[in-house]
Amino acid sequence: MDSSEARQRALVLVDKPSIVMMLGTVDAQGAPEIKAMVKMRNDGLRRYWFCSNTSTRRAEVLKHNGRSCLYAYEYAPDAEPLVCRGVMLAGTAELSWDDDLRRSLWQDFMTLYYPQGPLDPDFVVVQFTAERGNYYEGLENADFTV
Amino acid sequence: MDSSEARQRALVLVDKPSIVMMLGTVDAQGAPEIKAMVKMRNDGLRRYWFCSNTSTRRAEVLKHNGRSCLYAYEYAPDAEPLVCRGVMLAGTAELSWDDDLRRSLWQDFMTLYYPQGPLDPDFVVVQFTAERGNYYEGLENADFTV
């Protein structure tokens, strides 16, 4: 698997509509943290949008340190053939309260989390921009730039 | 949900035999990294053992910085009722090539990864020790000490 194929296969994985992605961040004490995020939208391999809450620990950490990573995988040890693939993307995450962006990502079920609707002050968008990645499948893996 | 209940529910989750856990680390440049690991064994909420390869980037990072986290989750948006729970554990990870430990974790299928068997120099054990955690389920979450 070369870089070009790794990039191609990684795109297939992150383009899956309901893929869960793990966001990795580093707190003020230098310790890593992980949180699963439901992807709302992505633009190829490069940019991703997630919904979060202004009041959370995650948002507080990202205000001070945007260096982050995204990770997604598929693992089905009992499938024939066995499925074991994943991608890690390194890049930066930033918070946005842009009204147009929040409106464009809004879905009805989200009132459960943001009772005031798309402009609820607690509704914040996490925008992740990837710079480089590593894709693995079975025993193979390859780095690529984004 | 109080700390005690969070700790109890987190234990149910990490005790699942085939749970996939994400290991979060910080590289020499201060950037976070994530890798899915298949848990080989755990001792309650406190200690976890995973198999890795001496030659990997992960092992290299852990030699220099053991601060790490473990994350596991279950997410089934279409289940009735919806399943959305997870745990993040903060602590430290260290590498071990102890022969007894490697033999005790050995399983036959692992020759695929370590052709020389349990004492293959490329077979390294990642031991994670948790100090504290956060458990979430639905919209609730609580911190706990381990």
Side-chain angles (χ1 to χ4, degrees):
Chain A
M1 178 166 57
D2 62 10
S3 284
S4 163
E5 193 171 347
R7 196 184 293 110
Q8 212 164 26
R9 293 194 202 177
L11 182 59
V12 171
L13 188 56
V14 304
D15 266 348
K16 299 200 173 188
S18 60
I19 190 102
V20 174
M21 304 192 88
M22 263 61 67
L23 179 70
T25 49
V26 181
D27 76 7
Q29 285 72 47
E33 299 190 319
I34 298 175
K35 181 83 180 68
M37 312 281 280
V38 178
K39 185 191 71 174
M40 300 304 291
R41 190 193 296 163
N42 66 302
D43 178 11
L45 269 176
R46 180 83 174 149
R47 300 199 81 188
Y48 303 79
W49 291 270
F50 305 91
C51 297
S52 188
N53 292 72
T54 306
S55 54
T56 57
R57 179 178 168 78
R58 189 82 18 204
E60 196 53 38
V61 165
L62 283 177
K63 270 181 212 162
H64 296 101
N65 185 358
R67 287 191 85 162
S68 49
C69 67
L70 273 185
Y71 184 81
Y73 74 99
E74 289 184 320
Y75 179 61
D78 300 326
E80 267 306 335
L82 172 149
V83 173
C84 176
R85 60 175 75 100
V87 62
M88 197 195 84
L89 299 159
T92 52
E94 55 191 317
L95 302 172
S96 171
W97 289 266
D98 181 85
D99 288 352
D100 290 340
L101 180 60
R102 293 193 294 170
R103 281 197 192 94
S104 75
L105 295 174
W106 185 257
Q107 292 184 28
D108 285 341
F109 77 88
M110 290 162 60
T111 44
L112 182 64
Y113 303 97
Y114 317 108
Q116 294 178 47
L119 304 189
D120 190 317
D122 201 36
F123 175 24
V124 62
V125 178
V126 176
Q127 301 186 94
F128 178 87
T129 305
E131 285 153 25
R132 57 189 168 77
N134 178 275
Y135 179 83
Y136 68 88
E137 188 157 341
L139 293 174
E140 288 183 286
N141 81 92
D143 291 328
F144 56 89
T145 53
V146 177
Chain B
M1 179 165 56
D2 62 11
S3 283
S4 162
E5 193 171 347
R7 196 184 293 112
Q8 210 164 26
R9 293 194 201 176
L11 182 60
V12 171
L13 187 56
V14 303
D15 266 348
K16 299 199 173 188
S18 60
I19 191 101
V20 174
M21 304 193 87
M22 263 60 68
L23 179 71
T25 50
V26 181
D27 77 7
Q29 285 73 47
E33 299 189 321
I34 298 175
K35 181 83 179 67
M37 313 281 280
V38 178
K39 185 192 73 175
M40 301 303 292
R41 190 194 297 163
N42 66 302
D43 177 11
L45 269 175
R46 179 83 173 150
R47 300 199 81 189
Y48 304 79
W49 291 270
F50 306 92
C51 296
S52 189
N53 292 71
T54 307
S55 54
T56 57
R57 180 178 167 78
R58 190 80 20 202
E60 197 52 39
V61 165
L62 283 178
K63 271 181 212 162
H64 296 100
N65 187 356
R67 287 191 84 161
S68 50
C69 68
L70 273 186
Y71 185 79
Y73 74 99
E74 289 184 319
Y75 180 60
D78 300 326
E80 271 300 337
L82 172 150
V83 173
C84 176
R85 59 175 76 99
V87 62
M88 197 195 85
L89 299 160
T92 53
E94 55 191 319
L95 302 171
S96 171
W97 289 266
D98 180 84
D99 288 351
D100 290 340
L101 180 60
R102 294 193 293 170
R103 281 197 193 96
S104 76
L105 295 174
W106 186 258
Q107 292 185 27
D108 285 343
F109 78 88
M110 292 162 60
T111 44
L112 182 65
Y113 304 96
Y114 317 107
Q116 295 178 46
L119 304 189
D120 190 318
D122 200 36
F123 174 24
V124 62
V125 177
V126 176
Q127 301 185 93
F128 178 86
T129 306
E131 285 152 24
R132 56 189 170 77
N134 179 274
Y135 179 84
Y136 68 88
E137 187 157 342
L139 294 174
E140 288 183 286
N141 81 91
D143 291 328
F144 56 88
T145 54
V146 176

